[in-house]
Structure formats: structure tokens, C-alpha cells
Amino acid sequence: MDLINIITDLIKFRTETGNIPEIKQCFEYCKILFAKTDAKVEIFEKEGVAPVLYIRNTDADKFDVLCLGHLDVVPATDEMFTPVIKDGRMYGRGTLDMKSFAAVAFNSMFHVLENKLNLKFGIILSSDEEKGSKGTEAFLEAHKDIKAKIVLDNDVGGNILSIVNKCKNPVFVKIIAEGKEAHGSTPWEGIDANEKLLHTLNNIREIYPYYSKETKKPKDTWIDTVHFAKIEGGQVSNVISNYAEALLDFRLTEDSTVKNLEKNLKKCMEKGVSYKIVSSSTPVVMDPKNEYIQAYKTLAEEVLGQKMFFEQIGGATDSRAFAVKGSIVIMNSGTGEGMHANGEYVEIDSVQKLAEIQKRFLDKLASKA
């Protein structure tokens, strides 16, 4: 297959999360790519959630290798859906996050099929990853027996020399403050929910410090963090607010637990303020010494001609659903910058090399099968 042309085609689809008609068109395009092969292509749909693209070379639920990713993107200007190639880079929305690497997964499937590799191989691509992956959750609920020995996760874009072996646990928490309305000129007759919320948030900051480009970066960034994602309170300027809420985004390391987070939250709540865990997951932690991860690293270094390194990231990954089932998750992606930004790009050479790494890795696995 022509890897670069397919990436170019994928970028042109305006698959912003929630744009279901365009997402379905993109999925149909992907389906046509495999029309003349033996691949089984399914578009999973369930009312109320975004569709999921499921491609495989087997009817079995137990895979030797699964590629995970997504084809939805964050919003962008019209121009960003017209990819531009310049100085060895491809610019456009989704070049780095992560349509280029979805195309790499397609390339791997063609390789498995054309060479009749003795591997049960599959691809799962969601279309709402940027807003919580509810479609993936529904898909996995409908396919409860799916397992994979190895998961190739390319949704960690940034540096092809990096193998990510740790991802944090994202925990979203809603803080709710209740007060009593009164006229703004007589605050002593009311109870200001906004004030209660602010005091509570300040208490939380005593445990989980504030970091930004304007503050000192911690020496060890593998720590629990929180950012105040959304704060709302009050309706008009001259009325004491009787209700306020905030949405908090915690990122917990593998040494932390939701139970301990709740213990800390309880300490921080002011009178009339409560909290609710909106969602939580699990961190992904892989042993860098695992034989399959080491085998991948060795092959990748041969292709790249450079040494690779392991790192940890604060972001979450859909591969956590398989990590908890015992899958070996190999998180490696291509090189680029500007994820979610106007100048998003991927280095084309890194995409081609990632495709070559995956093919060699699959060949090695098949030779031992």
C-alpha cells in the first residue's frame, strides 16, 4: 500500500470528535482499502456512542497482536484538513495524533495478509478518543472475550526514539458547592457557593501543587498532578451564588490509588461542599526488561540506527483496557510536534521507519509462532 497517500487521504476527512457523518465516511474509506483482501472489517455501532472500526484476519477473540488507536481529531481550521508536505514533514490535523499511525497499522495488516504470517492480527480504531473513548468502552463490552498477547499502541506521538513504559491513571472529579442566594449588597444574608468552592480548591492545592511554565518544574515529574479543567458558579453579578462546581483532572502514578485520592479530597471539603468521582481508570506500567519489549527495541534500533530510551508520560491510553487483562503493551510512535495545535506535523521518515519496525517485529513473532 502507498503509506503516504493513505495518510494524506485520512487527513482530508474532517473527523472531529462528534462529527459522525464524516467519521462514517472515513470508516467506509478504510473499509474499501481492504475490500480485495481477506481481512474482516466491521464498523461497530451502538446508539449513543461513537462508532469503532474493527479489522482482523481471524474470527477468534484471542489475538497474537492488536493495534490500538483512533481516527477522531480535535477541532481545527479548514486549512488543517488539507495536508501539506514540506521539508520532510507532513502538516495537518491528525498527522501526529494519530492518523499517520493508523495508516501504519493498516500497512501492518497488509503485510500480515500478503505474507500469510501465522499471526492472529487485529486493529481497533475508535472515533471519540479525544473525548473519553466511550465508543471503545461499548465495543469492549460487546466483545468481552477479546484478548491480545501483545498490543501495539502508537498513540504516544512525539519521538520515535522513545518507548513509553508508564502512563498515569486519569481520574476526573467534580466538586460541588452549595450556598444560599442573597442580594450582592448584603452578602451576610447569603452563603456564597463560589467562595466555598474557591476555599476548597485552595485546600486541594495544599496537597497537589500548581505547576505551569511560570512556576518551577519539579525535578521528578512522575508525581500526582491536578489541573482545574472547568470552574462555574453564579448567574448574575448582583446575586450571591447558591451553586458552583468545578471539574478536576487528576493524573495519578502507579503508586497512588483512587482510595487515597478520596481520603485527601475528604480533608479538603469545606462545609457545604462535596465531590464525585466522574471517572477513573488504571495506569499502564510495563517492565522494560520484558522479552517482547526488548525484542521490539532491538529491531527498532536496527532500523533507526540509534539507541532508544524508555520514558513515562502523564497522558492516558486506551491500551489500559488490555493491560489489565495481562497484555504486553508496546507504546512507540513517530516523531513530530504540535499535537492539538495549529502547527501539527509528523516527520515522514519517522512514519516510514515505524512501519518498517512493525513489519520486522511481526515477522519475528510469526517465525516463533
Side-chain angles (χ1 to χ4, degrees):
M1 63 173 260
D2 190 323
L3 184 61
I4 304 307
N5 278 348
I6 288 180
I7 296 170
T8 301
D9 287 344
L10 290 175
I11 300 302
K12 292 177 182 177
F13 288 99
R14 193 164 191 145
T15 56
E16 293 160 311
T17 313
N19 187 355
I20 301 301
E22 192 78 1
I23 286 167
K24 287 184 177 180
Q25 285 187 37
C26 182
F27 279 10
E28 288 296 335
Y29 166 86
C30 299
K31 196 172 182 178
I32 291 170
L33 287 177
F34 292 95
K36 295 182 179 180
T37 73
D38 292 330
K40 305 172 191 302
V41 183
E42 172 189 339
I43 299 176
F44 172 82
E45 295 184 77
K46 181 180 178 180
E47 187 176 353
V49 297
V52 174
L53 184 65
Y54 184 31
I55 307 171
R56 60 206 188 281
N57 69 343
T58 176
D59 287 321
D61 292 319
K62 293 179 175 59
F63 291 89
D64 298 303
V65 184
L66 266 178
C67 286
L68 292 187
H70 62 95
L71 283 170
D72 62 312
V73 297
V74 297
T77 60
D78 292 342
E79 291 77 12
M80 290 196 72
F81 292 96
T82 301
V84 174
I85 295 177
K86 182 180 179 181
D87 299 328
R89 296 173 174 175
M90 183 185 291
Y91 292 84
R93 177 58 79 235
T95 50
L96 184 62
D97 186 21
M98 59 157 287
K99 289 181 176 179
S100 298
F101 312 127
V104 168
F106 295 162
N107 188 71
S108 293
M109 176 60 84
F110 275 106
H111 181 72
V112 169
L113 294 169
E114 290 169 0
N115 293 278
K116 295 181 170 55
L117 297 187
N118 185 25
L119 292 172
K120 293 182 177 66
F121 183 76
I123 302 169
I124 300 173
L125 297 174
S126 67
S127 63
D128 65 344
E129 189 273 346
E130 299 294 357
K131 289 190 176 178
S133 298
K134 296 298 181 185
T136 302
E137 291 177 12
F139 172 83
L140 293 176
E141 181 65 25
H143 298 79
K144 292 184 177 182
D145 294 329
I146 282 187
K147 290 184 179 180
K149 184 173 184 178
I150 296 170
V151 170
L152 297 178
D153 183 350
N154 303 135
D155 192 18
V156 287
N159 189 346
I160 197 170
L161 294 176
S162 162
I163 296 178
V164 175
N165 70 299
K166 288 185 181 182
C167 292
K168 291 181 181 178
N169 176 13
V171 183
F172 293 92
V173 177
K174 180 180 282 190
I175 308 294
I176 299 168
E178 296 180 348
K180 184 179 184 300
E181 283 186 350
H183 195 279
S185 65
T186 56
W188 44 82
E189 293 180 1
I191 300 173
D192 195 335
N194 291 351
E195 287 285 344
K196 286 183 170 290
L197 179 62
L198 290 174
H199 282 298
T200 299
L201 295 180
N202 186 62
N203 294 340
I204 290 171
R205 278 288 175 225
E206 293 295 321
I207 301 174
Y208 302 95
Y210 170 65
Y211 298 104
S212 77
K213 291 182 75 69
E214 298 174 334
T215 65
K216 188 175 181 180
K217 183 179 179 180
K219 289 183 179 180
D220 180 10
T221 58
W222 196 245
I223 56 175
D224 295 344
T225 62
V226 63
H227 88 271
F228 301 156
K230 190 175 182 181
I231 301 174
E232 294 180 307
Q235 294 181 346
V236 293
S237 61
N238 63 348
V239 176
I240 302 295
S241 174
N242 69 349
Y243 181 87
E245 67 176 46
L247 181 64
L248 277 56
D249 175 5
F250 286 88
R251 301 294 167 130
L252 307 182
T253 72
E254 76 278 14
D255 295 322
S256 299
T257 64
V258 175
K259 184 177 180 180
N260 189 63
L261 170 62
E262 291 199 71
K263 182 179 178 181
N264 288 336
L265 288 172
K266 287 175 183 176
K267 294 178 185 176
C268 297
M269 295 300 110
E270 296 284 329
K271 183 180 179 182
V273 182
S274 60
Y275 72 88
K276 176 183 178 182
I277 303 292
V278 177
S279 67
S280 67
S281 185
T282 181
V284 176
V285 179
M286 292 290 124
D287 181 359
K289 296 179 181 178
N290 177 274
E291 62 174 309
Y292 292 101
I293 294 176
Q294 282 296 317
Y296 180 95
K297 180 173 180 287
T298 298
L299 287 171
E301 288 174 344
E302 290 175 3
V303 172
L304 297 169
Q306 298 181 69
K307 288 291 184 183
M308 301 184 75
F309 60 91
F310 291 97
E311 70 169 339
Q312 301 82 43
I313 63 172
T317 168
D318 283 347
S319 61
R320 61 189 181 270
F322 289 90
V324 297
K325 293 183 177 183
S327 297
I328 299 156
V329 181
I330 303 177
M331 294 176 275
N332 179 224
S333 193
T335 300
E337 290 185 359
M339 188 181 296
H340 294 190
N342 287 335
E344 181 179 358
Y345 74 84
V346 71
E347 293 183 6
I348 293 173
D349 180 65
S350 75
V351 178
Q352 294 168 328
K353 285 181 175 175
L354 183 67
E356 180 63 24
I357 292 166
Q358 282 198 11
K359 288 194 297 183
R360 291 194 190 188
F361 183 63
L362 293 170
D363 287 342
K364 187 176 183 67
L365 293 175
S367 69
K368 292 184 175 182

